[in-house]
Amino acid sequence: MADWSEQHVRRLFWRAGFGATAEEAGVWAQRGRRATLDHVVDGPVEGRKLRGPAPRVDRRGLDPVNEWGDDVLWWLDQMLRTNYPLVERMTLFWHDHFATSDQDAPLMLRQNRMLRGHALGSFPALLRDVTHDPAMQLFLSLADSSKGAPNENYARELMELFTLGSGYGERDIRETARALTGFRSNWKDGRFGGIAFDREQHDGGVKRIFGRAGRFGVDDVIALVCDHPRHAPFLVAKLWSYFIAEPPSRETVRGLAATYRRSGLSIKPVVRAILEHPMLYRRLDAPDMVKWPVVYVAGAMRASRTFVTAGYPTWLLASMGQQLFHPPSVAGWDWGAAWLSSNSMKQRFTFGNHLIENGPAKVEKGSVKVTIGARGHYALAHAAVGSPQVSTHTREVLTHLAAGWFHDIPASWRAKAGWRAESLQRTLRHLLLTCPESQLC
Amino acid sequence: MHARTKGRLLAGAAVVAALAPAGGVASAARRAPSTAVGVGAREFRLTAYRVSVPAGIVRFNLANYGQDVHDLVVATAGGRRLARSVEVRPGGRTTLRLRLRPGSYRLVCDLADHAALGMHATIRVR
Ligand SMILES: [Cu+2]
């Protein structure tokens, strides 16, 4: 196997984005490993852009604030049209990591923009903005936590889920909750008027956190958790598991943690180190990561050059177990095999049906001749859904299916049996979109 | 759970189920020009995501983000009730659709003492 092949490109583009087109796989295999990683991690030289037609559903543009489900379509559209998919993939990672749910649509969209802005930047800066974010503050009752009644929800999740995972005690949580008091949400006639810091409601006393004492406030708390020895290993291991299924070795975690610390807790260098890691390219012919529902959907749409023109992705994603902007809890979604429940798989098949009815993968009447042969039918279907990587076995099975498709029709009639060729195309396209290797990357 | 009419009102449905028919309902509603206003309900606040809308058909898309059942009543500034949604359970949604003339309108949840506790908002129709 070559040191850098189309298969390497495809693996990287799926893990760090929403897949590669056949053209991208060819181009980046030629340009080599280093140039490809620069492109994927730093983004295209021309800067981050959206390409392709803006979304239109029911002859109108999207209204993500006021129309149900348009929030999901809006983000999906970003994923479909971006030329810098890693930013969307990382925004998705942070949406799961700092999972916030059940908040007003304008606040959720505002949080999403904030996460995108920090997607590959400084972790402490991200954490600072998350801590001040209205949707997060309202979700975990940090807003209106006062010195008289400090609420511990945010302090607890800050340590358990956001930064450390272990290496702290109940007392650290209590004292941190005191240090984070003083935020006050403002509302007027139901309308959100922002969150202000009210010194009167802040506990200005001495707190003891991780064995250090001081009159700590919010900025001190951010610094304390980021300086904690558990932070770097915790975060790099979670990032690793977003990109690579097999757990990292101790040395790998140590090395990544060192990279992360050396960069001053910057996210991009550690993500690059993971994306460069040989483990990411193991067994290129046997993918082992389950595509998240939205990655599956966005990837299939990107490959077949399908844009947002209908609302079906919103409710199908919800039934697949991933309603964007509504993670199931503060712990985010369950990853991996949990995405492949029998109901979720059924919805992925349904999605395949919608995709081949809406957009370029649709089989047009009169577009297919019976006489192109089994390989020709397979090749046509494969190209129509964006030339995905499939196993030899799947290719053989589908070609065999194509070969037997017209057996019941007398040879002399076949030239006129275009409708049968169309049903074969629909079947092959659907199976290519939903076959086992399409669910993995 | 509360009784509701036809498939248009999605109050009791789980989020997943609620989303599925919404496309069909909304696309029918969208044929006549109308303005969507997202409304979030929780204890004890009612938030409308638009300050003002053009006169005509207004669709209030109510989402219940709270732990209790809530509803939405649209009334004139003088307090005359124009329309009331079904009751929406936590996590549920419903749409209240009506034609509004220029003026100022009050939105409230009329369950128990929710309005007095803060579940009210205003919207201007221009
Ligand atoms: Cu209420």
Side-chain angles (χ1 to χ4, degrees):
Chain A
M1 165 133 348
D3 152 66
W4 193 250
S5 65
E6 290 196 16
Q7 277 196 307
H8 287 84
V9 175
R10 284 180 185 273
R11 170 63 61 85
L12 175 63
F13 274 49
W14 269 112
R15 298 282 174 93
F18 307 94
T21 62
E23 191 195 344
E24 284 168 328
V27 166
W28 292 105
Q30 283 294 316
R31 292 193 192 163
R33 176 189 162 89
R34 197 196 165 101
T36 310
L37 278 152
D38 288 348
H39 171 74
V40 165
V41 176
D42 296 325
V45 285
E46 73 264 26
R48 188 156 69 93
K49 278 188 191 130
L50 294 178
R51 303 163 301 188
R56 280 193 81 70
V57 175
D58 292 334
R59 280 163 294 166
R60 61 171 182 92
L62 298 181
D63 181 352
V65 167
N66 295 292
E67 296 281 13
W68 292 330
D70 276 15
D71 50 354
V72 173
L73 296 180
W74 174 84
W75 193 359
L76 177 64
D77 176 64
Q78 303 287 308
M79 295 175 186
L80 296 181
R81 295 197 295 133
T82 184
N83 63 353
Y84 193 177
L86 181 60
V87 168
E88 296 307 322
R89 274 294 223 125
M90 286 305 299
T91 307
L92 186 61
F93 175 83
W94 297 121
H95 178 46
D96 176 79
H97 186 76
F98 294 115
T100 307
S101 214
D102 290 338
Q103 301 305 309
D104 288 313
L107 299 185
M108 290 303 294
L109 291 160
R110 170 175 164 175
Q111 183 189 69
N112 186 266
R113 286 192 296 272
M114 181 273 288
L115 297 176
R116 184 172 291 98
H118 288 293
L120 287 159
S122 149
F123 182 82
L126 166 62
L127 185 61
R128 195 174 183 285
D129 278 2
V130 165
T131 305
H132 287 87
D133 179 67
M136 175 60 87
Q137 283 216 352
L138 294 164
F139 181 49
L140 291 184
S141 310
L142 183 56
D144 307 305
S145 170
S146 63
K147 67 178 173 191
N151 188 306
E152 293 175 7
N153 283 355
Y154 187 80
R156 183 175 304 279
E157 307 309 355
L158 173 69
M159 293 182 198
E160 182 178 339
L161 297 173
F162 301 163
T163 61
L164 303 178
S166 62
Y168 59 89
E170 284 297 313
R171 177 175 179 165
D172 297 314
I173 293 171
R174 275 199 309 276
E175 299 280 284
T176 299
R178 288 178 56 212
L180 295 177
T181 50
F183 291 107
R184 200 136 90 179
S185 63
N186 294 302
W187 301 88
K188 199 177 170 220
D189 195 25
R191 243 164 228 119
F192 180 62
I195 283 175
F197 188 73
D198 180 352
R199 198 170 292 279
E200 294 292 300
Q201 293 305 319
H202 174 68
D203 182 339
V206 172
K207 298 103 185 169
R208 207 173 169 78
I209 303 174
F210 309 144
R212 291 189 237 180
R215 293 185 187 277
F216 297 135
V218 59
D219 289 340
D220 304 308
V221 165
I222 307 282
L224 282 165
V225 293
C226 289
D227 285 348
H228 192 290
R230 282 298 308 149
H231 170 59
F234 170 81
L235 189 72
V236 302
K238 178 140 185 205
L239 280 166
W240 173 280
S241 61
Y242 185 56
F243 295 108
I244 298 174
E246 203 164 312
S249 69
R250 277 164 181 267
E251 292 94 282
T252 302
V253 171
R254 256 201 299 277
L256 292 171
T259 300
Y260 177 53
R261 289 201 191 96
R262 255 197 320 275
S263 72
L265 308 190
S266 176
I267 298 151
K268 195 196 264 187
V270 64
V271 166
R272 172 144 190 158
I274 294 167
L275 295 178
E276 283 178 346
H277 200 282
M279 288 277 282
L280 192 131
Y281 304 95
R282 287 226 313 193
R283 308 209 49 198
L284 290 174
D285 52 350
D288 61 355
M289 286 206 93
V290 177
K291 289 177 191 169
W292 288 24
V294 71
V295 172
Y296 171 68
V297 165
M301 291 178 80
R302 271 182 84 109
S304 58
R305 297 192 157 77
T306 305
F307 296 96
V308 171
T309 56
Y312 67 89
T314 297
W315 58 267
L316 280 174
L317 278 167
S319 355
M320 287 178 201
Q322 189 166 40
Q323 191 183 356
L324 297 173
F325 301 102
H326 286 89
S329 79
V330 66
W333 284 279
D334 286 334
W335 302 3
W339 292 126
L340 298 182
S341 69
S342 52
N343 182 59
S344 174
M345 281 309 302
K346 184 167 163 260
Q347 303 305 332
R348 290 185 185 220
F349 293 152
T350 305
F351 168 76
N353 285 331
H354 281 268
L355 196 62
I356 58 170
E357 287 303 324
N358 292 275
K362 183 173 176 157
V363 182
E364 298 297 342
K365 243 189 146 104
S367 65
V368 196
K369 285 200 166 67
V370 175
T371 51
I372 57 179
R375 287 212 187 117
H377 286 291
Y378 175 83
L380 185 64
H382 188 245
V385 295
S387 308
Q389 191 175 340
V390 288
S391 66
T392 313
H393 177 71
T394 297
R395 192 177 67 231
E396 281 168 358
V397 167
L398 295 183
T399 309
H400 182 75
L401 178 74
W405 198 259
F406 307 103
H407 272 174
D408 59 324
I409 306 180
S412 56
W413 295 5
R414 286 186 197 165
K416 287 186 178 162
W419 59 278
R420 279 293 284 273
E422 287 151 24
S423 76
L424 172 60
Q425 275 301 309
R426 276 193 294 276
T427 304
L428 292 175
R429 291 176 194 192
H430 189 270
L431 290 170
L432 282 164
L433 287 167
T434 56
C435 66
E437 48 275 53
S438 293
Q439 311 299 337
L440 304 170
C441 68
Chain B
M1 293 283 282
H2 295 262
R4 64 195 63 87
T5 55
K6 298 185 183 158
R8 196 165 92 80
L9 305 166
L10 311 167
V15 172
V16 168
L19 282 167
V25 174
S27 52
R30 277 171 202 146
R31 265 173 221 128
S34 62
T35 307
V37 179
V39 181
R42 68 182 68 248
E43 299 76 43
F44 287 98
R45 211 162 54 228
L46 201 57
T47 305
Y49 305 151
R50 286 186 199 276
V51 181
S52 76
V53 294
I57 295 168
V58 180
R59 278 180 291 121
F60 292 98
N61 289 326
L62 176 70
N64 183 355
Y65 294 123
Q67 322 280 319
D68 297 345
V69 173
H70 297 294
D71 71 2
L72 177 66
V73 170
V74 179
T76 62
R80 190 164 60 86
R81 293 157 62 106
L82 302 175
R84 180 178 184 272
S85 77
V86 292
E87 297 177 7
V88 182
R89 71 168 193 181
R93 299 158 175 220
T94 193
T95 294
L96 185 61
R97 191 168 179 276
L98 70 164
R99 185 180 292 277
L100 293 176
R101 279 186 277 206
S104 186
Y105 295 86
R106 277 179 71 71
L107 309 179
V108 296
C109 170
D110 75 345
L111 299 183
D113 53 352
H114 293 185
L117 289 168
M119 295 194 70
H120 55 81
T122 53
I123 190 164
R124 205 165 54 78
V125 176
R126 56 185 194 267

